[in-house]
Amino acid sequence: MILALRALGIGDLATAVPALRGLRAAFPGHRLALAAPRWLAPMLDLIGAVDQLIDVDGLGPYRWPPLSPDWAVNLHGRGPQSHRLLHTAQPRRLMAFACPQAGHHTGPQWRPDEHEVHRWCRLLAWYGIVADPDDLALRRPPPQNLPTGVTIVHPGAKAVQRRWPVDRFAAVARELTRRGHRVVVTGSSGEGVLAAEVAARAGLPGSAVLAGRTGVGELAALVAHGRLVVAGDTGIGHLATAYATPSVLLFGPVSPELWGPPVNRPWHRALWAGPVPSGRAVAETHPALAALGVAQVLEAAEEVERTGHDLPGAAPAIATRERFSCRSW
């Protein structure tokens, strides 16, 4: 068995897809288990490389089931906590970045200025395993009863500093609606109030608020069959990359050079005002993000849509009113 640890969120798992597929190709006769939170289980079928999910959420003490992995692979971080957690699974060998604090002296050195996708591919390369950093696509799930061809505005993010102001998201949603987009507002179960405020300020009906109504699999399907995604630096942006859905992603304080979409895909646009010192409380939008204006976002949206329409097999851009309004939850 090969045991890989990535006990984080949607975007984190999406950036590890090339590494997971590299492991699958390198160990075809082994079972590949992923240690990650249970709520990410729908992602496994979309990735197509993982055989088993082991429910691990964070790096606290954990009692592993009997595994005896041949390799434990740390796709979570640099250690020492993640290294030590994997050691308790009693693997024969550990594939990880060098971390003397955890007693792991082999492996490559951690680089803080490295894009998250390339980081894990480089880790595997040090151990002789090939992983393609461009192998980011996920299986496209059927839409089922979800609306298709919609523009998705996603105002939330785990850290408040990474949230663009509500009034600006609302202004973008309002103008995109005026231009003929069918806009929905998504978010986690804890972001319902935020999503509802954006929708109300944009003049959208309550039915346009999908925050808390879509699990991971449904959110992936919504993006896969969507027209456009407008969001901050969060997981849904990585889903847009995986499905080549045109996207405008607003970055700050972290640079898109570390977490953004591939630069050779012009149907994704990462907006970034550059490194700007914070000088603010952590409970406020970071200045690098606050420096981005509504007109800039709308211009980028028009550009990525124009490029996205030229992609082979591009999905229809417009959702019908009947399909959108008749969705029953």
Side-chain angles (χ1 to χ4, degrees):
M1 171 183 279
I2 310 300
L3 173 64
L5 174 67
R6 189 69 168 165
L8 295 161
I10 293 175
D12 306 280
L13 182 52
T15 58
V17 165
L20 290 169
R21 290 182 177 149
L23 289 170
R24 173 78 289 156
F27 299 101
H30 289 67
R31 189 169 183 82
L32 177 57
L34 174 66
R38 184 185 301 277
W39 61 271
L40 286 172
M43 289 280 289
L44 268 62
D45 185 49
L46 306 179
I47 295 170
V50 180
D51 300 302
Q52 175 184 356
L53 178 72
I54 299 174
D55 182 19
V56 176
D57 194 351
L59 301 180
Y62 183 76
R63 179 173 293 181
W64 297 95
L67 295 174
S68 300
D70 295 295
W71 281 97
V73 186
N74 190 347
L75 300 179
H76 187 98
R78 74 179 79 180
Q81 296 96 327
S82 51
H83 285 43
R84 291 169 179 159
L85 176 60
L86 283 172
H87 273 302
T88 64
Q90 299 182 340
R92 292 182 175 87
R93 289 163 289 185
L94 176 65
M95 194 181 301
F97 285 100
C99 181
Q101 304 98 305
H104 187 73
H105 299 276
T106 60
Q109 296 298 312
W110 181 273
R111 285 172 37 190
D113 60 345
E114 189 169 28
H115 192 284
E116 192 71 4
V117 172
H118 291 270
R119 168 173 290 129
W120 306 114
C121 293
R122 181 171 66 89
L123 170 65
L124 267 57
W126 196 93
Y127 289 91
I129 296 173
V130 176
D132 179 2
D134 288 326
D135 188 12
L136 296 166
L138 297 175
R139 184 186 70 82
R140 189 178 299 273
Q144 298 184 4
N145 293 323
L146 292 164
T148 61
V150 295
T151 288
I152 304 161
V153 171
H154 190 95
K158 286 184 179 179
V160 174
Q161 282 197 310
R162 290 193 284 119
R163 291 182 180 177
W164 204 42
V166 168
D167 61 332
R168 298 189 204 179
F169 267 119
V172 167
R174 186 186 311 113
E175 176 59 21
L176 289 175
T177 300
R178 190 191 68 80
R179 296 180 184 182
H181 292 244
R182 300 292 298 172
V183 177
V184 298
V185 187
T186 57
S188 68
S189 58
E191 293 169 345
V193 173
L194 173 65
E197 183 177 359
V198 169
R201 292 193 185 192
L204 298 174
S207 59
V209 179
L210 305 187
R213 299 182 179 183
T214 55
V216 174
E218 290 175 310
L219 184 63
L222 195 68
V223 173
H225 299 277
R227 173 177 179 174
L228 173 70
V229 171
V230 180
D233 173 19
T234 191
I236 195 170
H238 297 281
L239 293 178
T241 298
Y243 293 117
T245 300
S247 64
V248 179
L249 306 179
L250 288 58
F251 277 79
V254 178
S255 167
E257 291 184 358
L258 303 180
W259 283 90
V263 295
N264 61 346
R265 303 184 187 188
W267 50 92
H268 304 302
R269 179 67 59 83
L271 299 182
W272 163 241
V276 179
S278 177
R280 292 185 179 182
V282 294
E284 299 180 29
T285 301
H286 192 274
L289 189 56
L292 301 176
V294 171
Q296 187 178 1
V297 173
L298 290 169
E299 180 182 1
E302 185 176 351
E303 291 175 356
V304 297
E305 272 218 286
R306 188 185 311 118
T307 307
H309 289 165
D310 295 333
L311 291 174
I318 304 297
T320 64
R321 178 178 297 274
E322 290 77 16
R323 177 175 290 176
F324 179 80
S325 62
C326 293
R327 168 73 169 111
S328 59
W329 296 98

